[in-house]
């Protein structure tokens, strides 16, 4: 005997999102913000990480020859955090070593702060999106139980289950947005930390350069 099994009704992604209620709107906005910040910062960090291997060699040659203007022009043309760091040091040549070092370190801090712009939004989204999703779930559960209480004895398990899965949609959405923001934040932070380490290395290279005897 053949038994015909009714196929379960399918639900599109859009219909599923609509089941989440109004809390899906701020979650969608946070997701768009997260994507925008990640792409914009990724491009900026990628450009900042580019470095000419011959840059320091040319700077060393200019400094030894006393051509500080040529060295500054090279830094201006290069347009990278490393170049701006070295340019600040070159502009302080002739002053006490500690003054030169402090000026370079301050410039480095400003460069890192500029690269980190927008990251607080990712960190906030990573922490706030799941909480917003939980809030939507709690609100949905309250509404579901209220509807069941109003229905009284005529309430069915179908209406109860429908309200529960609708409420849980916001939790899933919040976790997805939060996970995306967390991975994006940690990825960018790791890239910025690498740039910071290179800036520190270039600072030491420049300070050593000032103490080298001219050829």
């Amino acid at each position: 005997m053949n038994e015909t099994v009714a196929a379960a009704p399918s639900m599109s992604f859009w219909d599923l999102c609509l089941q989440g209620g109004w809390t899906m709107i701020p979650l969608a906005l946070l997701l768009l913000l997260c994507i925008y910040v990640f792409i914009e910062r990724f491009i900026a960090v990628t450009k900042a990480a580019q470095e000419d291997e011959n840059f320091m060699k040319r700077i060393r040659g200019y400094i030894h020859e006393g051509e500080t203007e040529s060295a500054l022009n090279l830094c201006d043309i290069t347009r990278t955090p490393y170049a701006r760091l070295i340019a600040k040091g070159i502009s302080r040549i002739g002053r006490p070593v500690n003054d030169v070092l402090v000026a370079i370190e301050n410039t480095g801090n400003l460069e890192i702060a500029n690269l980190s712009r927008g990251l607080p939004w990712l960190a906030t989204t990573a922490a706030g999106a799941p909480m917003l999703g939980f809030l939507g779930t709690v609100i949905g559960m309250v509404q579901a139980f209220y509807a069941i209480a109003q229905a009284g004895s005529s309430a069915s398990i179908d209406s109860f289950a429908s309200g529960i899965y609708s409420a849980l949609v916001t939790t899933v959405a919040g976790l997805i947005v939060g996970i995306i923001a967390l991975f994006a934040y940690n990825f960018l932070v790791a890239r910025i930390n690498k740039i910071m380490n290179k800036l520190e290395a270039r600072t030491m290279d420049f300070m050593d350069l000032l103490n080298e005897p001219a050829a």
Side-chain angles (χ1 to χ4, degrees):
M1 182 177 61
N2 295 329
E3 295 183 357
T4 302
V5 180
S10 60
M11 178 178 292
S12 67
F13 176 77
W14 176 250
D15 292 334
L16 187 63
C17 291
L18 292 178
Q19 294 293 327
W22 65 268
T23 52
M24 296 295 289
I25 297 176
L27 286 174
L29 294 177
L30 287 175
L31 178 60
L32 293 176
L33 177 64
C34 176
I35 294 174
Y36 169 77
V37 171
F38 175 75
I39 294 176
E40 191 271 335
R41 286 294 87 194
F42 176 78
I43 295 174
V45 171
T46 300
K47 289 181 178 179
Q50 296 176 354
E51 185 180 14
D52 184 2
E53 296 181 356
N54 296 321
F55 176 76
M56 286 304 299
K57 293 180 180 179
R58 297 177 64 184
I59 291 294
R60 179 177 287 103
Y62 286 137
I63 296 300
H64 285 171
E65 294 172 5
E67 299 179 4
T68 56
E69 288 298 326
S70 298
L72 288 174
N73 289 335
L74 176 60
C75 293
D76 185 61
I77 294 173
T78 306
R79 295 180 180 276
T80 62
Y82 312 106
R84 288 188 286 271
L85 197 76
I86 299 303
K88 179 61 67 173
I90 294 173
S91 67
R92 296 295 190 272
I93 289 179
R95 298 187 180 183
V97 175
N98 287 337
D99 291 349
V100 177
L101 182 59
V102 169
I104 293 177
E105 290 178 345
N106 289 338
T107 302
N109 292 334
L110 291 175
E111 292 293 337
I112 294 300
N114 182 59
L115 290 176
S116 301
R117 189 180 65 237
L119 293 190
W121 283 106
L122 292 179
T124 301
T125 301
M131 299 302 294
L132 188 60
F134 293 149
L135 174 62
T137 296
V138 172
I139 293 174
M141 294 287 286
V142 171
Q143 293 174 342
F145 280 108
Y146 178 77
I148 292 172
Q150 292 297 312
S153 59
S154 61
S156 64
I157 188 63
D158 292 336
S159 61
F160 179 76
S162 176
I164 295 300
Y165 86 76
S166 297
L168 291 175
V169 168
T170 58
T171 295
V172 175
L175 289 174
I176 291 175
V177 174
I179 290 172
I180 292 175
L182 180 63
F183 277 89
Y185 174 81
N186 287 333
F187 176 82
L188 291 175
V189 167
R191 296 291 297 272
I192 292 174
N193 285 339
K194 289 183 179 180
I195 294 176
M196 182 172 62
N197 292 335
K198 289 184 178 180
L199 288 177
E200 293 176 352
R202 295 299 165 267
T203 299
M204 294 299 100
D205 290 343
F206 182 77
M207 298 307 297
D208 291 340
L209 171 60
L210 296 182
N211 295 321
E212 289 180 359

